[in-house]
Amino acid sequence: MDVVQVERFGGPEVLRPATVADPSPGPGEAVVEVTACDVMFLDTLLRAGWGDDFFPVRPPYVPGSGVVGRVEGRRVVADTKQDVGGSEIPVGGYASRAAVAESELIPVPAGLSDQQAVALVHDGPTLQSLLSFVSGRRVLVTAAAGGAGVLLVQELVRRGVQVVGAARGEAKTSLVRSLGAASVVDYGSPTWTDGVAPVDAVLDGAGGTLGRAAFELVADGGRFVSYGTAGGEFASPDPASAARRGVTVIGLTDLPRLSRAHRRELVERTLSEAASGQYRPVIGQTFPLARAADAHAAIAARAAIGKTLLVP
């Protein structure tokens, strides 16, 4: 079967296509004939050698863990992540076939395409977890044109929340505007915060300098939820400033740790809600499996919009 492997830690160029033996399913396992693979920002970090304390991956390995495809004619999505030393690591996804536990197979609703379904395998649970922390009527979403960001914008707008969407560049800000955001700001400008009135909460998928700037826009008594590292690191607001202003800071480690069963429930809920038209993922670009390096390069260059997928 065809796979992509991380030969060694480094830039996108360390991703190399390879041909390996077909997987042999063990008891209680099934082989998914993959039609699309999810590409996460986390995949690019691990490829570069980041996060060894949390994700003990060792080259060579097959990155990624969200797949969609067929099992005996049924359309299913599945998460191929593996437990290594008590840590769940996202591996085994960039492949034309994947052996997974039958308990991990989730049917794809008729109202979704394969690509739409796999786009929700990881961002669906993220969406559901973050929504539980939303408070107030005015919310700033950073990285609003990313995979999780576009879902958050749509669902918050549906709930009647006044959404301020922040993204970089005309293509991304236009997308966020089309999703119904009340206002959109381009944080490619160093003065992007100047025109943003205080918000009740920030959902920060950008991190880094952008996330810290967004923190300053939270009104006293509001919430700042940091869940993304698109800026290279999680935002780390000053604890003294947060305490003085009564701002509750919620980091990724504060989000509920999901068991496999609970994660499955959240994926199923998201698939059902998306199939009913409550919101839809935005798939900005697809690449052939063999061009996984180009997919990672696009993400690194901040050129990717919405979800990025690989197609075997």
Side-chain angles (χ1 to χ4, degrees):
M1 68 175 184
D2 298 325
V3 301
V4 171
Q5 295 179 331
V6 173
E7 291 188 325
R8 64 187 186 282
F9 292 132
E13 70 280 357
V14 305
L15 290 165
R16 294 297 179 89
T19 301
V20 300
D22 285 345
S24 298
E29 290 187 331
V31 174
V32 180
E33 297 288 337
V34 178
T35 57
C37 323
D38 182 25
V39 180
M40 296 187 292
F41 184 70
L42 176 60
D43 298 344
T44 71
L45 297 177
L46 300 186
R47 183 213 68 229
W50 175 90
D52 180 69
D53 292 343
F54 301 100
F55 304 99
V57 294
R58 295 288 182 273
Y61 70 93
V62 175
S65 66
V67 298
V68 64
R70 304 293 188 276
V71 173
E72 297 179 350
R74 295 176 295 136
R75 294 197 307 147
V76 297
V77 292
D79 195 323
T80 65
K81 64 167 55 78
Q82 298 177 8
D83 190 299
V84 177
S87 298
E88 290 188 332
I89 58 176
V91 295
Y94 294 8
S96 59
R97 294 182 179 89
V100 298
E102 292 180 350
S103 60
E104 292 292 323
L105 303 179
I106 302 175
V108 176
L112 294 178
S113 69
D114 284 11
Q115 293 187 4
Q116 289 173 326
V118 78
L120 297 169
V121 169
H122 297 118
D123 288 339
T126 299
L127 167 72
Q128 304 293 351
S129 296
L130 291 173
L131 288 173
S132 66
F133 289 97
V134 172
S135 61
R137 305 307 301 168
R138 181 174 163 83
V139 176
L140 169 63
V141 178
T142 69
V150 298
L151 300 176
L152 285 166
V153 171
Q154 291 175 77
E155 179 58 13
L156 290 174
V157 169
R158 190 189 71 84
R159 296 184 179 194
V161 175
Q162 185 181 29
V163 176
V164 180
R168 186 189 302 273
E170 177 60 29
K172 294 183 179 181
T173 54
S174 293
L175 169 62
V176 176
R177 192 172 293 109
S178 74
L179 298 176
S183 60
V184 180
V185 290
D186 187 335
Y187 49 46
S189 167
T191 59
W192 70 273
T193 59
D194 290 354
V196 181
V199 296
D200 300 307
V202 168
L203 299 177
D204 176 41
T209 302
L210 291 171
R212 288 188 287 273
F215 169 74
E216 298 302 326
L217 297 172
V218 181
D220 291 358
R223 288 184 176 181
F224 179 84
V225 185
S226 173
Y227 72 94
T229 60
E233 60 179 351
F234 290 108
S236 300
D238 176 46
S241 175
R244 184 173 61 253
R245 295 164 47 201
V247 175
T248 301
V249 177
I250 300 165
L252 185 65
T253 57
D254 299 314
L255 298 179
R257 184 175 177 82
L258 304 178
S259 65
R260 284 182 178 266
H262 191 197
R263 186 184 300 113
R264 179 190 177 99
E265 291 175 4
L266 296 183
V267 173
E268 290 175 334
R269 180 194 306 173
T270 307
L271 291 173
S272 176
E273 291 175 349
S276 71
Q278 191 164 309
Y279 43 76
R280 288 293 178 111
V282 173
I283 300 163
Q285 47 283 313
T286 63
F287 294 84
L289 179 63
R291 290 178 53 202
D294 292 339
H296 278 222
I299 292 173
R302 305 293 187 265
I305 296 176
K307 289 300 297 182
T308 302
L309 304 179
L310 300 178
V311 181

